[in-house]
């Protein structure tokens, strides 16, 4: 069986100019990064704003398991299937992070015959967006430390510095560090921290900003520290905004690549869904809606994280109204949620499927709260039995969900025609009445507890003393009207990754709360989730290599 990278490297890619031309983008509207990658110009984006919006289809999934769900694979395959049906469709995805690429997850370009290419470029440096974000983040950190070194005119309390440096790599040794060691000229000694680039507020800002003016306004609102009197100090106060924006100028432009079947794909931005808001950029999604009749986008990890944040943060801020949701599940993952060991997932086991399908049930219930039509798709494996498929299909139909099998990993667009047809049927007969889960007027605690009870199924929420103080301070500073971005494990509906299926009655613990004032949301850290992941015992990096001809191997 061929690996994903072998399939991708055997593909015959079209010149990106030809891919763009089929959806009406002229060569002068592209900024080329070689033959197969391009950024879309600001002039083109401005010119198409009068076009009507296409239909917006969100792809999400049940909670991820070691058995795999194939959410990105389904997103790519669905886009290819629309192409097979002769429809004008564009895919809008996130860019992968180097951290999981070299860590445990591997590449993030889809899989099998439903991938975006060039796969190696996408998973590695791509067009440099993440490097620009990292540089802008660390420029602000350098300006902050330099301001203090040069006399601290703003009166910053060095014990209340909240801005962290970042790196797009899993590196646990950088979570908690000491900076400024050496002589007086080397700065002041203080505790500092790193987050992974995809958890940086700069990433969130880039993905939520509508244009350069909005980007600069958001950058200016970033809170980097507090004064001795407790007043916030912003990036604008440090005169950092112009230089940061200059670093991000090109990164603001959406990237255009293609699938294995030459379907256009806008891949732009990449905040993690378990520690950030988990959606590709607003700019790319809005642009795609003006370019095509159907736009397939995805949200990170399970629907409890990715879809909730897509709806309650991205759609709320950008005024987006999704027309349908595709919820991805696999029989293997459902049996894993039912207590089956990974090595036994290939065996038919209806009792385990019945026990584990409660995870899918909860996600269906959650999505119904947003009043968007749902299509459940089973990402097909050869080990799925007719009895297991029939059980899941009946289960979904009893809960007012359409159902389709997806075989896009094996068959590409042809394997997604059943799903695409079901999505089209759903769009025709069911109208979306999208609404957010909670109102801006609720207190931060009420928003946290609404998500915890309504989406996760928690019996209650407890707060550390530090979190209580932070919530009080943030509301006093005027941030109580912002939405909340929950940082939680992706492996469970709860904040405990070992609780599979549909846990009930559990208590979530909020350990820390801080504001991303530029992004426009309050981040809530729960459980043991980390904003700087570590590498596993056997990192994926061990398998990655490049030969004398420059061919990369081992990228999943």
């Amino acid at each position: 069986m061929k690996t994903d990278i072998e399939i991708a490297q055997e593909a015959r890619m079209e010149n990106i100019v030809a891919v763009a031309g089929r959806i009406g983008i002229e060569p002068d509207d592209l900024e080329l990064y070689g033959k197969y990658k391009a950024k879309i110009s600001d002039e083109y984006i401005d010119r198409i704003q009068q076009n009507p919006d296409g239909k917006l289809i969100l792809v999400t999934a049940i909670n991820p398991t070691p058995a795999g769900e194939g959410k990105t694979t389904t997103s790519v395959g669905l886009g290819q299937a629309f192409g097979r049906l002769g429809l004008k469709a564009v895919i809008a995805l996130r860019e992968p992070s180097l951290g999981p690429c070299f860590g445990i997850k591997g590449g993030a370009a889809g899989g099998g015959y439903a991938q975006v290419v060039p796969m190696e470029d996408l998973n590695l440096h791509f067009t440099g967006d993440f490097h620009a974000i990292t540089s802008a983040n660390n420029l602000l950190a350098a300006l902050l430390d330099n301001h203090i070194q040069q006399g601290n005119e703003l009166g910053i309390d060095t014990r209340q510095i909240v801005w962290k440096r970042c790196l797009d790599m899993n590196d646990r040794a950088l979570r908690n560090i000491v900076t400024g060691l050496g002589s007086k000229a080397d700065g002041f000694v203080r505790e500092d921290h790193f987050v992974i680039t995809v958890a940086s507020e700069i990433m969130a800002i880039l993905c939520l900003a509508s244009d350069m003016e909005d980007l600069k306004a958001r950058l200016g609102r970033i809170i980097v520290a507090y004064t001795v009197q407790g007043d916030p100090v912003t990036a604008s106060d440090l005169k950092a905004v112009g230089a940061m924006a200059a670093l991000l100028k090109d990164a603001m432009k959406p990237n255009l690549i293609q699938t294995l079947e030459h379907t256009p794909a806008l891949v732009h931005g990449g905040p993690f869904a378990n520690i950030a808001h988990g959606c590709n950029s607003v700019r790319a999604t809005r642009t795609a809606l003006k370019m095509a009749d159907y736009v397939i986008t995805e949200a990170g990890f399970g629907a409890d994280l990715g879809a909730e944040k897509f709806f309650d943060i991205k759609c709320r801020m950008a005024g987006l109204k999704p027309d349908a949701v595709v919820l991805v599940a696999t029989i293997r993952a459902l049996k894993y949620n039912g207590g089956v060991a990974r090595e036994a997932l290939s065996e038919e086991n209806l009792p385990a499927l019945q026990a584990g399908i409660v995870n899918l049930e909860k996600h269906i219930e959650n999505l119904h709260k947003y009043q968007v039509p749902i299509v459940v798709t089973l990402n097909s494996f050869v080990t799925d039995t007719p009895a297991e498929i029939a059980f899941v299909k009946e289960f979904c139909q009893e809960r007012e969900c359409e159902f389709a099998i997806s075989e896009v990993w094996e068959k590409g667009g042809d394997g997604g025609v059943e799903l695409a047809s079901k999505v089209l049927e759903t769009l025709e007969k069911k109208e979306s009445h999208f609404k957010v889960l909670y109102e801006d007027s609720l207190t931060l605690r009420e928003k946290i507890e609404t998500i915890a009870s309504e989406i996760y199924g928690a019996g209650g929420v407890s707060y550390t003393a530090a979190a209580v103080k932070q919530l009080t301070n943030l509301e006093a500073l005027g941030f109580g009207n912002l939405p909340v971005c929950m940082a939680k494990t992706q492996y469970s509906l709860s904040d405990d990754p070992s609780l599979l299926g549909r846990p009930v009655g559990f208590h979530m613990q909020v350990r820390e709360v801080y504001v991303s004032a530029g992004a426009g949301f309050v981040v809530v850290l729960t459980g043991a989730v980390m904003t700087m992941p570590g590498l596993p015992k056997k990192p994926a990096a061990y398998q990655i290599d490049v030969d004398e001809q420059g061919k990369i191997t081992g990228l999943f």
Side-chain angles (χ1 to χ4, degrees):
M1 183 180 295
K2 294 178 181 177
T3 64
D4 289 345
I5 193 170
E6 288 171 340
I7 293 170
Q9 288 174 340
E10 290 175 0
R12 295 178 62 88
M13 290 184 284
E14 287 188 350
N15 191 297
I16 198 64
V17 173
V19 174
R22 286 201 301 277
I23 52 172
I25 304 177
E26 299 295 331
D28 284 348
D29 294 322
L30 299 175
E31 298 176 7
L32 299 177
Y33 285 66
K35 295 180 181 179
Y36 308 115
K37 299 174 292 183
K39 281 188 172 290
I40 297 175
S41 72
D42 293 333
E43 292 77 13
Y44 172 78
I45 294 172
D46 291 341
R47 199 164 61 245
I48 62 172
Q49 291 310 302
Q50 300 307 311
N51 292 356
D53 283 345
K55 297 290 187 181
L56 181 58
I57 302 154
L58 173 69
V59 179
T60 187
I62 63 173
N63 290 100
T65 72
E69 286 65 56
K71 175 168 52 62
T72 304
T73 302
T74 302
S75 300
V76 175
L78 179 57
Q80 293 181 157
F82 275 108
R84 294 277 181 171
L85 294 172
L87 301 171
K88 190 177 183 181
V90 169
I91 304 165
L93 304 174
R94 294 175 299 162
E95 299 176 49
S97 164
L98 290 176
C101 182
F102 292 118
I104 195 169
K105 188 174 179 289
Y113 290 90
Q115 296 188 57
V116 284
V117 287
M119 185 257 221
E120 309 96 305
D121 293 15
L122 175 60
N123 280 300
L124 297 177
H125 302 289
F126 199 30
T127 58
D129 293 346
F130 283 21
H131 298 307
I133 291 165
T134 302
S135 298
N137 183 105
N138 294 339
L139 170 63
L140 180 55
L143 290 171
L144 169 62
D145 282 329
N146 183 65
H147 176 88
I148 297 169
Q149 175 74 6
Q150 301 296 344
N152 196 7
E153 182 182 344
L154 293 170
I156 293 169
D157 184 348
T158 57
R159 299 162 299 179
Q160 294 193 75
I161 293 174
V162 296
W163 189 249
K164 300 175 182 179
R165 289 168 162 83
C166 76
L167 182 73
D168 192 33
M169 196 64 63
N170 292 2
D171 193 344
R172 61 170 52 85
L174 294 179
R175 289 173 185 160
N176 304 292
I177 62 171
V178 176
T179 59
L181 295 174
S183 68
K184 184 177 180 180
D186 298 322
F188 62 99
V189 177
R190 69 176 179 90
E191 182 181 354
D192 201 355
H193 312 271
F194 271 77
V195 298
I196 191 166
T197 296
V198 286
S200 166
E201 185 178 352
I202 306 291
M203 174 67 80
I205 286 172
L206 181 111
C207 289
L208 291 169
S210 55
D211 52 30
M212 180 55 71
E213 182 181 1
D214 187 29
L215 176 78
K216 292 171 75 172
R218 288 173 179 273
L219 291 173
R221 293 196 294 268
I222 294 172
I223 294 175
V224 297
Y226 293 87
T227 67
V228 175
Q229 291 76 30
D231 298 322
V233 178
T234 66
S236 180
D237 294 330
L238 291 172
K239 300 179 175 59
V241 174
M244 294 167 67
L247 286 170
L248 297 170
K249 176 180 70 73
D250 292 328
M252 274 288 288
K253 299 170 184 175
N255 306 297
L256 177 68
I257 54 174
Q258 64 191 288
T259 73
L260 293 176
E261 298 179 12
H262 317 305
T263 304
L266 295 185
V267 185
H268 193 222
F272 272 3
N274 60 338
I275 52 182
H277 77 282
C279 307
N280 73 308
S281 77
V282 165
R283 204 155 191 244
T285 303
R286 282 178 171 168
T287 300
L289 286 168
K290 299 297 184 182
M291 291 165 55
D293 297 323
Y294 301 93
V295 175
I296 299 97
T297 191
E298 68 169 357
F301 292 129
D304 56 318
L305 286 168
E308 187 273 316
K309 294 172 184 179
F310 177 87
F311 293 142
D312 288 320
I313 295 177
K314 181 175 179 177
C315 291
R316 182 192 302 266
M317 291 188 187
L320 298 171
K321 295 183 178 180
D323 296 285
V325 178
V326 174
L327 177 57
V328 182
T330 67
I331 285 173
R332 291 165 59 86
L334 293 173
K335 288 189 290 191
Y336 184 86
N337 270 283
V340 175
R342 187 175 182 179
E343 57 271 16
L345 291 173
S346 298
E347 302 168 10
E348 182 176 280
N349 191 329
L350 287 170
L353 182 58
Q354 185 173 7
I357 205 167
V358 293
N359 186 268
L360 173 61
E361 179 181 47
K362 177 58 175 165
H363 289 298
I364 291 172
E365 291 176 8
N366 288 348
L367 293 173
H368 276 312
K369 297 176 192 293
Y370 294 96
Q371 298 184 20
V372 180
I374 305 166
V375 178
V376 176
T377 186
L378 270 182
N379 186 20
S380 178
F381 283 74
V382 294
T383 55
D384 299 346
T385 70
E388 290 173 329
I389 294 171
F391 175 80
V392 177
K393 180 177 182 179
E394 182 179 358
F395 184 91
C396 295
Q397 291 175 338
E398 287 174 352
R399 285 154 183 81
E400 300 181 10
C401 294
E402 301 295 338
F403 176 86
I405 297 290
S406 171
E407 299 177 289
V408 296
W409 186 93
E410 179 185 3
K411 300 178 182 178
D414 281 346
V417 168
E418 178 186 336
L419 173 58
S421 299
K422 188 61 69 174
V423 170
L424 289 169
E425 179 185 326
T426 300
L427 290 171
E428 289 176 4
K429 71 180 185 182
K430 294 184 179 180
E431 186 176 352
S432 173
H433 300 283
F434 170 70
K435 68 181 187 69
V436 293
L437 183 69
Y438 55 83
E439 298 302 323
D440 293 336
S441 58
L442 295 183
T443 67
L444 293 176
R445 275 202 185 200
E446 288 171 333
K447 292 168 186 172
I448 292 167
E449 288 161 15
T450 297
I451 295 172
S453 61
E454 294 286 321
I455 302 300
Y456 307 153
V461 180
S462 59
Y463 302 83
T464 63
V468 171
K469 183 178 180 180
Q470 290 157 352
L471 285 167
T472 301
N473 289 343
L474 291 178
E475 292 193 329
L477 289 168
F479 297 116
N481 64 325
L482 299 183
V484 295
C485 180
M486 303 292 287
K488 178 184 78 69
T489 179
Q490 65 268 33
Y491 298 114
S492 171
L493 286 159
S494 74
D495 56 351
D496 179 352
S498 67
L499 296 180
L500 302 180
R502 183 178 182 169
V504 294
F506 58 90
H507 263 67
M508 295 191 67
Q509 184 180 64
V510 173
R511 75 171 198 270
E512 182 182 348
V513 182
Y514 61 88
V515 65
S516 290
F521 53 68
V522 171
V523 180
V524 181
L525 298 178
T526 70
V529 69
M530 295 287 183
T531 53
M532 170 55 84
L535 291 170
K537 189 171 184 178
K538 294 183 178 180
Y542 288 175
Q543 310 304 319
I544 297 171
D545 201 357
V546 57
D547 65 19
E548 292 180 359
Q549 286 73 45
K551 183 178 180 180
I552 294 173
T553 57
L555 262 178
F556 208 62

